[in-house]
Amino acid sequence: MSRIKVLVVDDSVVVRRLVGDTLAGDPRLDVVGTAANGKVALAKIPQLNPDLVTLDVEMPVMDGLETLRQLRKLYPRLPVVMFSTLTERGAATTLDALELGANDYVAKPANVGSVTQSMEAVRSELVPKILALCTRTRPVVPSLPAPLPQPANAPAAPVVPPRVDLLAIGASTGGPDALSVVLGALPASLPVPVVVVQHMPPVFTKQFADRLDARCAVKVSEAVPGAPVRPGEVLIAPGDFHMRLRRVAGRVQATLDQGTPENYCRPAVDVLFRSAVEAYGGHVLGVVLTGMGADGARGSAEIVRAGGSVLVQDEATSVVWGMPGAVAAAGLATQQLPLAGVAPAVLTRLAVGRRNGAPVTPPGSSRIERTAWAT
């Protein structure tokens, strides 16, 4: 396989050298050039024909966002990974970049004691994302829970699935855009709560939740300890915290902890999905959207094992078909759907067992209509 060609764009000589030397140490990658600003980068792309561009945000002459706007007009399919700082300003700009078409982002090393540690931080974050965005690999299927044993004369599975009382969603690379599409298509009168894990660092998740809340009919917020899980409302796990659901005095609430990362992730989709089953049994509908890795596959197995079902985004519309691909490869997905088809499929599934199967009304009303259905 030919090496992946990378163009590094950053106004800092130190960062260009750090990233360049780090990537050059991987035999699968080839740093074909560097640029100190977006204007130079745009001039070099047709000469170097890179497979991926790493792009800084704050640069003279032409900054990262303007470069990205121009780049997307000229090269709509060229993968772009933003370099971001873990600050409120950095988070806001990175979310702007994702909306403009950046594929993913990595955090610039901060408070790192040595060049070696800085290189390792970049290597561990950036290299897997480059490989995921530039190569097509078979989804990794982790070891999954064994199916429940069935009695010898067990009756056939019911034709009508159980009523859904919770929608649980997991996403990673490409997830912000995918979640905007899915959550934006849900009505304020949604009859179930929604809980979400999007792999993001601290600060980012709060700003992301606020942006979604301003644009969606459903209420969206970053989860806090003890937050009630209510119909028509979306809770997003905060960065660096697992989110779990627990039932207390008949009501479900969210808990947060910094337990051991799973699948190298915190928050982890598997953690959320497992706790969803503990709180709701087989009345969970899982959705796994675009993302690298296999987080969510084990949790999906628990949902299916309990009698629930799982929908996944299809390969054609996923930025990276790792997470949804792992669920599909394990035979756990009820449907594989293009991104635009996920919300309609969810609403169709939610209608089962409600109001004699009447379809859930799609969005189109004002935010004042945010009311919880009695369930």
Side-chain angles (χ1 to χ4, degrees):
M1 183 183 75
S2 58
R3 292 195 293 174
I4 297 169
K5 297 180 291 183
V6 182
L7 172 62
V8 177
V9 185
D10 200 294
D11 67 321
S12 167
V13 175
V14 174
V15 173
R16 290 201 303 272
R17 182 166 184 176
L18 173 69
V19 176
D21 289 351
T22 301
L23 300 185
D26 192 303
R28 298 165 293 184
L29 308 178
D30 181 15
V31 179
V32 293
T34 62
N37 61 63
K39 186 175 181 179
V40 173
L42 291 173
K44 285 190 173 185
I45 287 175
Q47 303 169 13
L48 301 174
N49 193 28
D51 298 307
L52 180 140
V53 174
T54 69
L55 185 59
D56 187 24
V57 173
E58 297 182 5
M59 298 181 293
V61 184
M62 183 182 289
D63 65 18
L65 293 183
E66 182 56 32
T67 303
L68 186 58
R69 289 187 186 95
Q70 299 302 319
L71 194 151
R72 276 292 165 255
K73 293 177 183 177
L74 298 169
Y75 312 99
R77 295 185 179 277
L78 178 61
V80 176
V81 177
M82 305 301 296
F83 254 51
S84 173
T85 54
L86 291 177
T87 63
E88 288 191 12
R89 180 179 176 183
T93 306
T94 302
L95 291 173
D96 288 339
L98 293 174
E99 291 180 358
L100 289 171
N103 299 90
D104 209 341
Y105 60 91
V106 295
K108 285 189 174 182
N111 301 320
V112 179
S114 69
V115 173
T116 301
Q117 288 176 300
S118 295
M119 292 180 69
E120 180 55 37
V122 171
R123 182 181 297 109
S124 63
E125 286 288 322
L126 183 56
V127 171
K129 295 187 177 186
I130 293 175
L131 297 175
L133 290 168
C134 295
T135 59
R136 288 286 183 180
T137 58
R138 296 183 63 182
V140 175
V141 183
S143 57
L144 301 173
L148 288 171
Q150 296 293 321
N153 298 319
V159 176
V160 179
R163 188 181 78 166
V164 172
D165 290 331
L166 177 78
L167 175 60
I169 305 177
S172 185
T173 308
D177 179 63
L179 284 166
S180 296
V181 172
V182 173
L183 297 179
L186 301 180
S189 58
L190 195 74
V192 304
V194 184
V195 288
V196 176
V197 161
Q198 162 67 51
H199 295 157
M200 272 185 169
V203 181
F204 282 60
T205 44
K206 176 64 167 64
Q207 293 205 22
F208 181 50
D210 290 346
R211 289 190 180 210
L212 288 174
D213 186 59
R215 300 172 186 179
C216 297
V218 288
K219 181 180 179 181
V220 184
S221 61
E222 184 186 54
V224 296
V229 179
R230 296 185 290 220
E233 298 185 9
V234 181
L235 292 179
I236 295 182
D240 202 32
F241 283 84
H242 290 311
M243 180 167 69
R244 306 175 200 261
L245 308 182
R246 68 173 183 175
R247 193 171 290 273
V248 179
R251 297 181 180 275
V252 179
Q253 63 184 28
T255 68
L256 306 176
D257 67 77
Q258 291 187 302
T260 304
E262 293 194 21
N263 311 300
Y264 308 101
C265 301
R266 189 172 62 206
V269 181
D270 280 340
V271 171
L272 175 64
F273 280 13
R274 283 199 310 269
S275 72
V277 171
E278 291 171 1
Y280 289 89
H283 299 278
V284 178
L285 175 61
V287 174
V288 180
L289 301 173
T290 174
M292 58 184 288
D295 189 23
R298 292 189 179 94
S300 293
E302 295 288 356
I303 291 175
V304 172
R305 192 169 184 259
S309 53
V310 181
L311 310 178
V312 300
Q313 186 176 350
D314 68 5
E315 184 173 10
T317 62
S318 293
V319 174
V320 178
W321 206 55
M323 286 167 49
V327 176
L332 299 168
T334 303
Q335 290 177 279
Q336 297 180 39
L337 299 156
L339 180 59
V342 173
V346 166
L347 297 180
T348 297
R349 182 65 185 83
L350 295 186
V352 176
R354 287 187 168 84
R355 295 187 175 180
N356 298 319
V360 177
T361 305
S365 52
S366 71
R367 302 257 305 193
I368 299 174
E369 293 180 348
R370 285 179 171 172
T371 56
W373 285 20
T375 59

Coordinates of all heavy atoms in Angstrom, one line a residue, residues 34-90:
T34 N 4.9 21.4 3.9 CA 4.4 22.2 5.0 C 4.0 23.6 4.4 O 4.5 24.0 3.3 CB 5.4 22.4 6.1 OG1 6.5 23.0 5.6 CG2 5.8 21.0 6.7
A35 N 3.2 24.3 5.2 CA 2.8 25.7 4.8 C 2.6 26.5 6.0 O 2.1 26.0 7.0 CB 1.6 25.7 3.9
A36 N 3.0 27.8 6.0 CA 2.9 28.7 7.1 C 1.5 29.4 7.2 O 1.2 30.0 8.2 CB 4.0 29.7 7.1
N37 N 0.7 29.4 6.1 CA -0.6 30.0 6.2 C -1.5 29.3 5.1 O -1.0 28.6 4.2 CB -0.5 31.5 6.0 CG 0.1 31.9 4.7 OD1 -0.4 31.6 3.6 ND2 1.2 32.6 4.8
G38 N -2.7 29.7 5.1 CA -3.7 29.1 4.2 C -3.4 29.4 2.8 O -3.6 28.6 1.9
K39 N -3.0 30.6 2.5 CA -2.7 31.0 1.1 C -1.7 30.2 0.5 O -1.8 29.7 -0.7 CB -2.4 32.5 1.0 CG -2.2 33.0 -0.4 CD -2.0 34.5 -0.4 CE -1.8 35.0 -1.8 NZ -1.6 36.5 -1.8
V40 N -0.6 29.9 1.2 CA 0.5 29.1 0.7 C 0.0 27.6 0.6 O 0.3 26.9 -0.4 CB 1.7 29.1 1.7 CG1 2.8 28.1 1.3 CG2 2.3 30.5 1.7
A41 N -0.8 27.2 1.5 CA -1.3 25.8 1.5 C -2.2 25.6 0.2 O -2.0 24.6 -0.5 CB -2.1 25.5 2.7
L42 N -3.0 26.5 -0.1 CA -3.9 26.3 -1.2 C -3.1 26.3 -2.5 O -3.5 25.6 -3.5 CB -4.9 27.5 -1.3 CG -6.0 27.4 -0.2 CD1 -6.9 28.7 -0.2 CD2 -6.9 26.2 -0.3
A43 N -2.0 27.0 -2.6 CA -1.1 27.0 -3.7 C -0.4 25.7 -3.9 O -0.1 25.3 -5.0 CB -0.1 28.2 -3.7
K44 N -0.1 25.1 -2.7 CA 0.7 23.9 -2.8 C -0.1 22.6 -3.0 O 0.4 21.6 -3.5 CB 1.5 23.7 -1.4 CG 2.7 24.6 -1.3 CD 3.5 24.2 0.0 CE 4.8 25.0 0.0 NZ 5.7 24.6 1.1
I45 N -1.4 22.6 -2.7 CA -2.2 21.4 -2.8 C -2.2 20.8 -4.2 O -2.0 19.6 -4.4 CB -3.6 21.7 -2.3 CG1 -3.7 21.8 -0.8 CG2 -4.6 20.6 -2.8 CD1 -5.0 22.2 -0.2
P46 N -2.4 21.6 -5.3 CA -2.4 21.0 -6.6 C -1.0 20.5 -7.0 O -0.9 19.6 -7.9 CB -2.8 22.1 -7.6 CG -2.6 23.4 -6.8 CD -2.8 23.0 -5.4
Q47 N 0.1 21.0 -6.4 CA 1.4 20.6 -6.7 C 1.7 19.3 -6.0 O 2.3 18.4 -6.6 CB 2.4 21.6 -6.3 CG 2.2 23.0 -7.0 CD 3.1 24.1 -6.3 OE1 4.0 23.8 -5.6 NE2 2.8 25.3 -6.6
L48 N 1.3 19.2 -4.7 CA 1.7 18.1 -3.9 C 0.7 16.9 -3.9 O 1.0 15.8 -3.5 CB 1.9 18.6 -2.4 CG 2.9 19.6 -2.2 CD1 3.0 20.1 -0.8 CD2 4.3 19.1 -2.6
N49 N -0.6 17.3 -4.2 CA -1.7 16.3 -4.3 C -1.7 15.5 -3.0 O -1.7 14.2 -3.0 CB -1.5 15.3 -5.5 CG -2.7 14.5 -5.7 OD1 -3.9 14.9 -5.4 ND2 -2.5 13.3 -6.3
P50 N -1.9 16.1 -1.8 CA -1.9 15.3 -0.5 C -3.2 14.5 -0.4 O -4.2 14.8 -1.0 CB -1.8 16.5 0.5 CG -2.5 17.6 -0.2 CD -2.1 17.5 -1.6
D51 N -3.1 13.5 0.4 CA -4.3 12.7 0.8 C -5.0 13.3 2.0 O -6.2 13.0 2.2 CB -3.8 11.3 1.1 CG -3.2 10.6 -0.1 OD1 -3.8 10.6 -1.2 OD2 -2.1 10.1 0.1
L52 N -4.3 14.1 2.8 CA -4.9 14.7 3.9 C -4.2 16.0 4.3 O -3.0 16.1 4.1 CB -4.9 13.7 5.1 CG -5.5 14.2 6.4 CD1 -6.3 13.1 7.1 CD2 -4.4 14.7 7.4
V53 N -4.9 17.0 4.9 CA -4.3 18.2 5.3 C -4.5 18.4 6.8 O -5.7 18.2 7.3 CB -4.9 19.4 4.6 CG1 -4.4 20.7 5.2 CG2 -4.6 19.3 3.1
T54 N -3.5 18.7 7.6 CA -3.7 19.1 9.0 C -3.6 20.7 9.0 O -2.8 21.3 8.3 CB -2.6 18.6 9.9 OG1 -1.3 19.2 9.6 CG2 -2.5 17.1 9.8
L55 N -4.6 21.3 9.6 CA -4.8 22.7 9.5 C -4.9 23.4 10.8 O -5.8 23.1 11.6 CB -6.1 22.9 8.6 CG -6.4 24.4 8.2 CD1 -5.3 25.0 7.4 CD2 -7.7 24.3 7.4
D56 N -4.0 24.4 11.0 CA -4.1 25.2 12.2 C -5.2 26.3 12.0 O -5.6 26.6 10.9 CB -2.8 26.0 12.4 CG -2.7 26.7 13.7 OD1 -3.5 26.4 14.7 OD2 -1.9 27.7 13.8
V57 N -5.8 26.8 13.1 CA -6.9 27.8 13.0 C -6.3 29.2 12.9 O -6.7 29.9 12.0 CB -7.8 27.6 14.3 CG1 -8.8 28.7 14.3 CG2 -8.4 26.3 14.3
E58 N -5.5 29.6 13.8 CA -5.0 31.0 13.9 C -3.7 31.1 13.1 O -2.6 30.7 13.6 CB -4.8 31.4 15.3 CG -6.1 31.4 16.1 CD -6.0 31.9 17.5 OE1 -4.9 32.4 17.9 OE2 -7.0 31.9 18.3
M59 N -3.8 31.8 11.9 CA -2.6 32.0 11.1 C -2.7 33.3 10.4 O -3.8 33.8 10.2 CB -2.5 30.9 10.0 CG -2.4 29.5 10.5 SD -2.2 28.3 9.1 CE -3.9 28.4 8.4
P60 N -1.6 34.0 10.1 CA -1.6 35.2 9.4 C -2.0 35.0 7.9 O -2.0 33.9 7.4 CB -0.2 35.8 9.5 CG 0.6 34.5 9.6 CD -0.2 33.5 10.4
V61 N -2.3 36.1 7.2 CA -2.6 36.1 5.8 C -3.9 35.5 5.5 O -4.9 36.1 5.0 CB -1.5 35.5 4.9 CG1 -1.8 35.6 3.4 CG2 -0.1 36.1 5.2
M62 N -4.1 34.2 5.7 CA -5.3 33.5 5.6 C -5.4 32.5 6.7 O -4.7 31.5 6.8 CB -5.4 32.8 4.2 CG -6.8 32.1 4.0 SD -6.9 31.2 2.4 CE -6.9 32.6 1.3
D63 N -6.4 32.7 7.6 CA -6.5 31.8 8.8 C -7.2 30.4 8.4 O -7.6 30.2 7.2 CB -7.3 32.5 9.9 CG -8.8 32.7 9.6 OD1 -9.3 32.1 8.6 OD2 -9.4 33.5 10.3
G64 N -7.3 29.6 9.4 CA -7.8 28.2 9.1 C -9.2 28.1 8.6 O -9.5 27.3 7.7
L65 N -10.1 29.0 9.2 CA -11.5 28.9 8.7 C -11.7 29.4 7.3 O -12.4 28.7 6.5 CB -12.4 29.7 9.7 CG -12.5 29.2 11.1 CD1 -13.5 30.0 11.9 CD2 -12.9 27.7 11.1
E66 N -11.0 30.5 6.9 CA -11.1 30.9 5.6 C -10.4 29.9 4.6 O -10.9 29.7 3.5 CB -10.5 32.3 5.4 CG -10.5 32.9 4.0 CD -12.0 33.0 3.5 OE1 -12.9 33.2 4.3 OE2 -12.2 32.8 2.3
T67 N -9.3 29.4 5.0 CA -8.6 28.3 4.2 C -9.6 27.2 4.0 O -9.7 26.6 2.9 CB -7.4 27.8 4.9 OG1 -6.5 28.9 5.2 CG2 -6.6 26.8 4.1
L68 N -10.3 26.8 5.1 CA -11.2 25.6 5.0 C -12.3 25.9 4.0 O -12.8 25.1 3.2 CB -11.7 25.3 6.3 CG -12.6 24.0 6.5 CD1 -11.8 22.8 6.0 CD2 -13.0 23.9 7.9
R69 N -12.9 27.2 4.1 CA -13.9 27.6 3.1 C -13.5 27.4 1.7 O -14.2 26.8 0.8 CB -14.4 29.0 3.4 CG -15.1 29.2 4.7 CD -15.7 30.6 4.7 NE -16.3 30.9 6.0 CZ -15.7 31.5 7.1 NH1 -14.4 31.8 6.9 NH2 -16.3 31.7 8.2
Q70 N -12.3 27.9 1.4 CA -11.8 27.8 0.0 C -11.4 26.4 -0.4 O -11.7 26.0 -1.5 CB -10.5 28.7 -0.1 CG -10.8 30.2 0.2 CD -11.8 30.8 -0.8 OE1 -11.9 30.5 -1.9 NE2 -12.7 31.6 -0.2
L71 N -10.9 25.7 0.6 CA -10.5 24.3 0.3 C -11.7 23.4 0.0 O -11.6 22.6 -0.9 CB -9.7 23.8 1.5 CG -8.9 22.5 1.4 CD1 -7.7 22.5 2.3 CD2 -9.8 21.3 1.7
R72 N -12.8 23.6 0.7 CA -14.0 22.8 0.5 C -14.6 23.1 -0.9 O -15.2 22.3 -1.5 CB -15.0 23.0 1.6 CG -14.7 22.2 2.8 CD -14.9 20.7 2.5 NE -14.3 19.8 3.4 CZ -13.2 19.1 3.2 NH1 -12.6 19.2 2.1 NH2 -12.8 18.2 4.2
K73 N -14.4 24.4 -1.4 CA -15.0 24.7 -2.7 C -14.1 24.0 -3.8 O -14.7 23.5 -4.8 CB -14.9 26.2 -2.9 CG -15.9 27.0 -2.1 CD -15.7 28.5 -2.3 CE -16.5 29.3 -1.4 NZ -16.3 30.8 -1.6
L74 N -12.8 23.9 -3.6 CA -11.9 23.4 -4.6 C -11.7 21.9 -4.4 O -11.6 21.2 -5.4 CB -10.6 24.1 -4.5 CG -10.6 25.6 -4.7 CD1 -9.2 26.2 -4.3 CD2 -10.8 25.9 -6.2
Y75 N -11.7 21.4 -3.2 CA -11.4 20.0 -2.9 C -12.4 19.4 -1.9 O -12.1 19.2 -0.7 CB -10.0 19.8 -2.4 CG -9.0 20.5 -3.3 CD1 -8.5 21.7 -2.9 CD2 -8.5 19.9 -4.5 CE1 -7.5 22.4 -3.6 CE2 -7.6 20.6 -5.2 CZ -7.1 21.8 -4.8 OH -6.2 22.5 -5.6
P76 N -13.7 19.2 -2.3 CA -14.7 18.9 -1.3 C -14.5 17.6 -0.6 O -15.0 17.3 0.5 CB -16.0 18.8 -2.2 CG -15.5 18.7 -3.6 CD -14.2 19.4 -3.7
R77 N -13.7 16.7 -1.2 CA -13.5 15.3 -0.6 C -12.1 15.2 0.1 O -11.8 14.1 0.6 CB -13.7 14.2 -1.6 CG -15.1 14.2 -2.2 CD -15.3 13.0 -3.1 NE -16.6 12.9 -3.6 CZ -17.6 12.3 -3.0 NH1 -17.4 11.8 -1.8 NH2 -18.9 12.3 -3.5
L78 N -11.3 16.2 0.1 CA -10.0 16.1 0.7 C -10.1 16.1 2.2 O -10.6 17.1 2.8 CB -9.1 17.2 0.2 CG -7.7 17.3 0.8 CD1 -6.9 16.0 0.4 CD2 -7.0 18.5 0.3
P79 N -9.7 15.0 2.9 CA -9.8 15.0 4.4 C -9.0 16.1 5.1 O -7.9 16.4 4.7 CB -9.3 13.7 4.8 CG -9.5 12.8 3.6 CD -9.2 13.7 2.4
V80 N -9.6 16.8 6.1 CA -8.9 17.9 6.8 C -9.1 17.6 8.3 O -10.2 17.4 8.8 CB -9.6 19.2 6.5 CG1 -8.9 20.3 7.3 CG2 -9.4 19.6 5.0
V81 N -8.0 17.7 9.0 CA -8.0 17.5 10.5 C -7.5 18.8 11.0 O -6.4 19.3 10.7 CB -7.0 16.4 10.9 CG1 -7.0 16.3 12.5 CG2 -7.5 15.0 10.4
M82 N -8.3 19.5 11.9 CA -8.0 20.7 12.5 C -7.1 20.5 13.7 O -7.2 19.6 14.5 CB -9.2 21.5 12.9 CG -10.2 21.7 11.8 SD -9.6 22.7 10.4 CE -9.3 24.3 11.2
F83 N -6.1 21.5 13.9 CA -5.4 21.5 15.2 C -6.0 22.5 16.1 O -6.2 23.7 15.7 CB -3.9 21.9 14.9 CG -3.0 20.7 15.0 CD1 -3.2 19.5 14.3 CD2 -1.8 20.8 15.8 CE1 -2.4 18.5 14.5 CE2 -1.0 19.7 15.9 CZ -1.2 18.6 15.2
S84 N -6.4 22.1 17.3 CA -7.2 23.0 18.1 C -6.6 23.1 19.5 O -5.8 22.2 20.0 CB -8.6 22.4 18.3 OG -9.4 23.1 19.2
T85 N -6.9 24.2 20.2 CA -6.5 24.3 21.6 C -7.7 24.0 22.5 O -8.8 24.2 22.1 CB -6.0 25.8 21.9 OG1 -7.1 26.7 21.5 CG2 -4.8 26.1 21.2
L86 N -7.4 23.5 23.7 CA -8.5 23.0 24.6 C -8.9 24.2 25.4 O -8.8 24.2 26.7 CB -8.0 21.9 25.5 CG -7.8 20.6 24.7 CD1 -7.2 19.5 25.7 CD2 -9.1 20.1 24.1
T87 N -9.5 25.2 24.8 CA -10.0 26.4 25.4 C -11.4 26.7 24.9 O -11.8 26.1 23.9 CB -9.1 27.6 25.2 OG1 -9.1 27.9 23.7 CG2 -7.7 27.4 25.6
E88 N -12.1 27.6 25.6 CA -13.5 27.9 25.1 C -13.4 28.5 23.7 O -14.2 28.1 22.8 CB -14.2 28.9 26.0 CG -14.6 28.2 27.3 CD -15.5 29.1 28.1 OE1 -16.0 30.1 27.6 OE2 -15.7 28.8 29.3
R89 N -12.5 29.4 23.4 CA -12.3 29.9 22.1 C -11.9 28.9 21.1 O -12.4 28.8 20.0 CB -11.3 31.1 22.2 CG -11.0 31.7 20.8 CD -10.0 32.8 20.9 NE -9.7 33.4 19.6 CZ -8.8 34.4 19.4 NH1 -8.1 34.8 20.4 NH2 -8.6 34.9 18.2
G90 N -11.0 28.0 21.5 CA -10.5 27.0 20.6 C -11.7 26.0 20.3 O -11.8 25.5 19.1

